Amino acid sequence: MQWSKTKSLLESFLSDKLQGRIKIYATVYRKFHDSPSRVWITFDNKEIISASDIIYEKKHEELYRKIKKEENLKDIPFNENWHVMFNSPERQELLTASDNVEKWMINQNIFNSYHFYRSFLKYSSLTIDEALNSEIIIIRAYAMLDRRLGKRRIKKLNFSIEDTHPLILDFYKIRCDVEGISLINHETLSKL
């Protein structure tokens, strides 16, 4: 699907009070090697989240090298047999370290554009219940802005600040603000 169609479809899911106020943007830097991209969302023309391939890759590499050094992880030993290298315990340890870095970065709101594209392409085929219960953080966060999530149901949502991703809490707070829902009634969010 073309980006313009995906963007229009996603913005059509927004609640009435967010229509025209939340905007989704994407750009591809075609003159750079590998054409990295950036996806960002604004609320009243103020950027609220961004996913940049360049920033993500730089931060990932920095943290990965740090973990590799701290945990004294070894490089994959050379072997003429590619399968031996591919299945080596050293490679498995390096993959685990890379996966752990990615999980940490996502928890810190540092995303790759792929995370957004994948989520956005999937979002339009989900029911609101599937979106709210998705394992994908961006889908659950965007569901907070969805018109299919009514005011009564928003008031019934319960979040724990310790257990809920900050992006979900940020989007929830935006939705509550525009709908005039007081966060004081929500004990877990009264600290926001």
Side-chain angles (χ1 to χ4, degrees):
M1 184 183 293
Q2 286 181 320
W3 171 247
S4 58
K5 288 182 182 179
T6 303
K7 177 185 172 193
S8 295
L9 185 59
L10 285 168
E11 289 177 350
S12 74
F13 280 108
L14 293 170
S15 75
D16 292 341
K17 293 186 179 181
L18 290 172
Q19 290 285 333
R21 297 179 71 186
I22 295 278
K23 293 187 180 165
I24 304 167
Y25 300 94
T27 191
V28 177
Y29 303 105
R30 297 193 194 288
K31 294 188 179 187
F32 275 72
H33 177 67
D34 289 339
S35 299
S37 62
R38 179 174 176 251
V39 178
W40 67 101
I41 300 176
T42 63
F43 174 59
D44 290 339
N45 297 321
K46 181 183 174 200
E47 189 174 293
I48 54 176
I49 187 70
S50 175
S52 169
D53 292 347
I54 296 169
I55 293 170
Y56 179 87
E57 293 302 328
K58 182 179 176 197
K59 186 71 173 173
H60 185 280
E61 185 63 24
E62 177 185 308
L63 293 171
Y64 175 72
R65 285 178 189 257
K66 182 178 177 184
I67 286 177
K68 191 175 169 186
K69 185 177 180 181
E70 287 174 358
E71 295 181 11
N72 199 23
L73 298 178
K74 307 239 183 294
D75 289 331
I76 301 168
F78 177 76
N79 190 307
E80 300 243 349
N81 184 343
W82 182 82
H83 292 288
V84 171
M85 288 175 60
F86 188 78
N87 295 316
S88 71
E90 291 87 359
R91 181 177 179 274
Q92 299 308 316
E93 289 175 354
L94 294 172
L95 288 174
T96 300
S98 179
D99 289 345
N100 290 339
V101 167
E102 182 175 7
K103 288 175 188 171
W104 183 86
M105 289 174 61
I106 288 171
N107 285 332
Q108 300 300 314
N109 274 348
I110 304 170
F111 296 98
N112 190 320
S113 67
Y114 164 78
H115 294 116
F116 275 79
Y117 287 129
R118 177 188 64 169
S119 302
F120 288 161
L121 289 173
K122 192 173 185 177
Y123 193 84
S124 61
S125 65
L126 300 175
T127 66
I128 191 62
D129 289 325
E130 291 170 332
L132 288 170
N133 295 311
S134 175
E135 301 241 341
I136 301 170
I137 305 282
I138 296 165
I139 291 176
R140 284 202 342 252
Y142 199 77
M144 298 298 120
L145 310 175
D146 197 312
R147 62 180 155 72
R148 299 175 294 173
L149 181 65
K151 282 177 81 170
R152 276 183 269 167
R153 192 160 179 194
I154 291 170
K155 291 177 184 178
K156 291 180 183 177
L157 291 175
N158 269 329
F159 295 113
S160 163
I161 291 175
E162 295 82 25
D163 299 332
T164 306
H165 192 278
L167 183 63
I168 297 169
L169 294 174
D170 291 346
F171 281 28
Y172 177 76
K173 185 176 183 300
I174 288 170
R175 180 69 185 275
C176 287
D177 286 347
V178 299
E179 297 289 350
I181 298 170
S182 173
L183 291 176
I184 296 170
N185 296 338
H186 296 79
E187 292 176 27
T188 57
L189 293 176
S190 61
K191 297 176 187 175
L192 291 178

